[in-house]
Amino acid sequence: MHPEAPQPPCWFSLAEGRAVLDAEAPLLAEALRQRPAQPWLWLAPLPVDAAPDSGRGWQLQADGNGWRGAFRCAAGLPLASEAFGTIVLQHPSGRPADNQGLLQECARLLVPGGRLCLFALNPLAPYRLRWRGQGLHAAEPLSWRKRLRAAGLTPEPVSLGLGPRWQVDTGGDPGQGAGMRAAYLLCADKRRLPLTPVRQGAPRLATAAAFRGSLDGQALQ
């Protein structure tokens, strides 16, 4: 048998790609800290030496058509439904349409009210010339919003642009909209909430009476 040909290095492991990941690091760490009582899942393009000190969570990195890290698996994630408060999906390979199954998996894994944070490359950035020919795909936020909605998630109307514009650096503070930045952050929430019975009777009437009393008090001031 012939030995396998060595795989080309992932673009994100090069200086140009590392600059993008470094720009994303503060927002990524903030996302993982938002729900300290709930575990998080971080799907990354590269192995990470140590995850941020942000509570409990799992970090996996892309491995061909699957994932590896604490465990190895195929594209389908063998994890319990509604197990995570936050999922960070950092630069999934392929186009938005290619990742519909992954987005649906993320929606399944999120608790009601949970959040998906998607980092993606911006096709309008001058920096795109630095990843040309590397097998990467970039898409505007509109394309990702369409796929996120199809997966049952509610995307935010505004993305955050971050990363370099042309020079290999972190690019400074994030700005509203992808603009000309190399990457952007787009968040989406799982809005489906469990139905809860509405309490009827005396407790509800007492609350209404207290509310009317507060309004009468404001009228006298």
Side-chain angles (χ1 to χ4, degrees), residues 23-40:
E24 295 169 353
L27 289 178
L28 192 152
E30 180 182 344
L32 299 183
R33 287 195 296 263
Q34 285 181 348
R35 291 171 171 82
Q38 297 171 329
W40 46 260

Side-chain angles (χ1 to χ4, degrees), residues 84-100:
F84 299 96
T86 300
I87 296 178
V88 172
L89 183 54
Q90 191 178 24
H91 299 291
S93 62
R95 301 175 178 84
D98 302 328
N99 285 282
Q100 192 62 48

Side-chain angles (χ1 to χ4, degrees), residues 144-216:
W144 282 111
R145 287 192 185 96
K146 176 182 177 181
R147 295 297 171 179
L148 289 165
R149 292 190 188 97
L153 300 171
T154 303
E156 291 186 342
V158 178
S159 60
L160 283 178
L162 62 156
R165 295 174 175 84
W166 173 246
Q167 299 297 326
V168 181
D169 55 30
T170 58
D173 294 335
Q176 284 200 343
M180 305 297 284
R181 307 295 286 272
Y184 57 87
L185 168 62
L186 178 61
C187 294
D189 296 318
K190 185 174 179 177
R191 295 284 178 84
R192 180 175 57 83
L193 298 176
L195 296 176
T196 55
V198 177
R199 297 183 65 186
Q200 303 290 340
R204 185 175 180 180
L205 294 176
T207 302
F211 181 66
R212 285 197 299 270
S214 66
L215 291 179
D216 292 340

Side-chain angles (χ1 to χ4, degrees), residues 3-203:
E4 293 185 4
Q7 294 296 315
C10 174
W11 181 78
F12 289 102
S13 68
L14 306 178
E16 294 87 348
R18 282 286 184 185
V20 175
L21 298 185
D22 289 345
E24 295 169 353
L27 289 178
L28 192 152
E30 180 182 344
L32 299 183
R33 287 195 296 263
Q34 285 181 348
R35 291 171 171 82
Q38 297 171 329
W40 46 260
L41 177 64
W42 174 13
L43 302 175
L46 289 177
V48 177
D49 295 334
D53 183 14
S54 310
R56 301 171 298 148
W58 296 57
Q59 191 271 333
L60 301 174
Q61 62 268 7
D63 181 24
N65 293 323
W67 304 94
R68 62 184 172 89
F71 58 89
R72 188 184 294 266
C73 64
L77 296 164
L79 299 167
S81 298
E82 299 186 354
F84 299 96
T86 300
I87 296 178
V88 172
L89 183 54
Q90 191 178 24
H91 299 291
S93 62
R95 301 175 178 84
D98 302 328
N99 285 282
Q100 192 62 48
L102 178 58
L103 296 179
Q104 290 171 343
E105 274 288 270
C106 290
R108 177 184 69 82
L109 295 174
L110 282 172
V111 300
R115 168 162 285 207
L116 173 67
C117 298
L118 170 70
F119 291 90
L121 293 174
N122 179 13
L124 302 180
Y127 206 74
R128 69 185 183 276
L129 297 177
R130 297 189 181 273
W131 68 68
R132 177 179 291 177
Q134 298 292 325
L136 299 176
H137 297 281
E140 296 181 34
L142 182 63
S143 299
W144 282 111
R145 287 192 185 96
K146 176 182 177 181
R147 295 297 171 179
L148 289 165
R149 292 190 188 97
L153 300 171
T154 303
E156 291 186 342
V158 178
S159 60
L160 283 178
L162 62 156
R165 295 174 175 84
W166 173 246
Q167 299 297 326
V168 181
D169 55 30
T170 58
D173 294 335
Q176 284 200 343
M180 305 297 284
R181 307 295 286 272
Y184 57 87
L185 168 62
L186 178 61
C187 294
D189 296 318
K190 185 174 179 177
R191 295 284 178 84
R192 180 175 57 83
L193 298 176
L195 296 176
T196 55
V198 177
R199 297 183 65 186
Q200 303 290 340

